[in-house]
């Protein structure tokens, strides 16, 4: 059975928009998975430590038969291939891939929380989700559009398509 899954992408090191573009290409080749759509990319201030470059973020809509932890393993593998190092919480990174929504599943364990715990506070994740599917809702019925209207502003700026491959 195929499940609609939404993945958040972020980078603020080593040509962030190019990092995200390469990540989208890698996501399109995942086993048992189809890339449905890709959002525009956005720039925003970092969350947490401010002594780092602004982030570039986006999202993709996948349809997959992978289970949540299988998909998480695949995402972490892509991050590693992009040189991801986990040096500090909310610190700079070459690539961050997060499962934001996994169908109607709600999951919380030591490795994975779905829907993503911080989603209501992240305009840089909510806006790309709205770009992908304007009527998207969380498993509890909360509309992403409602979360976006209540979300703190993080200086979100849509990047023109020319700014990324």
């Amino acid at each position: 059975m195929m499940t609609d899954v939404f993945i958040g992408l972020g980078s603020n090191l080593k040509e962030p928009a190019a990092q995200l573009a390469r990540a989208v290409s890698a996501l399109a080749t995942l086993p048992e998975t189809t890339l449905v759509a890709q959002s525009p990319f956005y720039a925003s201030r970092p969350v947490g430590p401010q002594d780092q470059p602004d982030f570039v973020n986006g999202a993709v809509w996948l349809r997959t038969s992978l289970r949540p932890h299988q998909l998480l393993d695949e995402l972490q593998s892509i991050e590693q291939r992009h040189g991801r190092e986990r040096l500090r919480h909310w610190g700079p990174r070459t690539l961050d891939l997060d499962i934001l929504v996994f169908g109607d599943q709600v999951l919380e364990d030591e490795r994975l929380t779905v829907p993503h715990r911080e989603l209501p506070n992240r305009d840089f994740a909510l806006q790309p989700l709205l770009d992908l599917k304007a009527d998207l809702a969380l498993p509890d019925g909360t509309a992403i559009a409602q979360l976006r209207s209540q979300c703190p502003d993080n200086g979100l700026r849509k990047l023109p398509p020319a700014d990324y491959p």
Side-chain angles (χ1 to χ4, degrees):
M1 182 174 97
M2 300 297 272
T3 302
D4 287 335
V5 178
F6 295 86
I7 307 296
L9 305 95
S11 175
N12 70 341
L13 296 176
K14 299 183 181 179
E15 300 179 16
Q19 290 282 359
L20 296 193
R22 286 191 294 273
V24 171
S25 295
L27 291 165
T29 67
L30 289 177
E32 303 175 49
T33 303
T34 302
L35 175 65
V36 176
Q38 168 189 342
S39 78
F41 293 160
Y42 291 85
S44 65
R45 293 186 305 266
V47 171
Q50 297 295 301
D51 63 339
Q52 59 182 319
D54 283 355
F55 273 82
V56 174
N57 294 93
V60 295
W61 177 355
L62 303 176
R63 204 162 273 142
T64 188
S65 61
L66 296 174
R67 293 185 309 277
H69 288 91
Q70 289 177 305
L71 180 58
L72 178 63
D73 291 341
E74 294 286 349
L75 298 182
Q76 289 177 341
S77 175
I78 293 169
E79 288 177 342
Q80 292 306 310
R81 290 195 305 269
H82 281 79
R84 170 79 189 258
E85 294 179 338
R86 298 173 193 274
L87 301 177
R88 69 176 173 167
H89 188 58
W90 290 340
R93 61 204 69 178
T94 53
L95 183 62
D96 187 27
L97 299 174
D98 290 321
I99 300 173
L100 301 176
V101 178
F102 198 103
D104 61 1
Q105 294 193 39
V106 176
L107 176 66
E108 186 168 352
D109 64 30
E110 66 281 348
R111 289 190 63 214
L112 182 60
T113 299
V114 175
H116 194 282
R117 179 179 292 118
E118 291 294 329
L119 189 56
N121 304 313
R122 305 287 195 251
D123 58 352
F124 55 82
L126 293 167
Q127 187 58 54
L129 290 177
L130 287 174
D131 293 335
L132 291 171
K133 191 170 192 301
D135 64 347
L136 183 63
L138 298 179
D140 69 3
T142 304
I144 295 297
Q146 175 188 344
L147 293 176
R148 176 67 177 105
S149 71
Q150 299 167 345
C151 184
D153 176 36
N154 196 41
L156 197 64
R157 303 172 310 280
K158 187 175 183 178
L159 298 177
D163 283 0
Y164 55 93

